[in-house]
Amino acid sequence: SHLTQKEVFPYVEWAINLRIIATRCDFLQIHAASMVYQSNGFVFPGVSGCGKSTLAAGLLSHGWKYLCDEFALIGTNDFQLHPFAKALCVKAGAFRAVRQLGLPMSKRIHYIKARKGRVAYVSPKELNPRCLAESAPIRFVIFPEYVAGQQPRLDPLSRPRALMHLTACVF
């Protein structure tokens, strides 16, 4: 079968992501959103669908600085978070929330990802070029878990349990 133009773009995006994984061995790579607030680096690791990109979009709309919604790139020499400022990939279930935040989804074009369905992209540079972060020290690691209808809350994890969760997200 032939892929439509809307189905091809996500494969190109993932090919770029795979090249980052394969060629940037100078970084520990975690499947995570990474953001900066008041010079503090935040890592939001998790599996696909846990809310990393939607959380990053929400924080971006509230003045946080953006590093990436797909990778936390951690320098093996300096243990700092480093940027890979690709467009945020938002799944169809979050379209309404992202629009309510006032974030522009690129030209309102929806693409089709094989396992994720319809997606759209938010370009941080279109929003505000100053929202892109420089490298920052890691201060917090938070494991997001989206649960429909539930109010946000923070549940502390022991260091061993957090390490187990984190290792599951390493590329």
Side-chain angles (χ1 to χ4, degrees), residues 59-72:
L59 297 173
L60 188 60
S61 74
H62 284 85
W64 288 52
K65 294 192 179 273
Y66 179 71
L67 292 165
C68 191
D69 75 327
E70 189 68 32
F71 299 104

Side-chain angles (χ1 to χ4, degrees), residues 1 8 18 24 35 61 66 86 100 109 121 158 167 171:
S1 74
V8 170
L18 287 175
R24 296 309 310 259
M35 305 287 292
S61 74
Y66 179 71
K86 65 177 228 25
Q100 287 176 337
I109 297 171
Y121 294 88
S158 67
T167 57
F171 284 110

Side-chain angles (χ1 to χ4, degrees), residues 3 26 30 35-36 39 45 59 63-65 73 79 101 104 106 110-111 117 120-121 130 146 148 150 161 171:
L3 296 176
D26 49 331
I30 308 288
M35 305 287 292
V36 175
S39 301
L59 297 173
W64 288 52
K65 294 192 179 273
L73 297 176
F79 298 104
L101 292 169
S106 290
H110 300 146
Y111 297 93
Y121 294 88
R130 291 185 303 261
Y146 173 74
Q150 190 175 59
R161 191 164 181 88
F171 284 110

Side-chain angles (χ1 to χ4, degrees), residues 3 15 65 78 94 96 103 107 110 126 140 153 155 157 168:
L3 296 176
K65 294 192 179 273
D78 61 8
R96 183 174 177 211
L103 299 177
K107 301 174 187 142
H110 300 146
E126 285 180 23
F140 300 96
R153 69 175 202 262
D155 296 324
L157 293 176

Side-chain angles (χ1 to χ4, degrees), residues 69-112:
D69 75 327
E70 189 68 32
F71 299 104
L73 297 176
I74 302 168
T76 55
N77 292 328
D78 61 8
F79 298 104
Q80 298 245 11
L81 283 172
H82 292 266
F84 178 59
K86 65 177 228 25
L88 286 88
C89 180
V90 179
K91 294 180 194 84
F95 286 0
R96 183 174 177 211
V98 170
R99 284 190 191 109
Q100 287 176 337
L101 292 169
L103 299 177
M105 286 189 278
S106 290
K107 301 174 187 142
R108 303 226 186 258
I109 297 171
H110 300 146
Y111 297 93
I112 309 297

Side-chain angles (χ1 to χ4, degrees), residues 29-48:
Q29 303 164 14
I30 308 288
H31 187 211
S34 49
M35 305 287 292
V36 175
Y37 186 72
Q38 296 180 346
S39 301
N40 294 303
F42 286 73
V43 178
F44 300 99
V47 297
S48 183

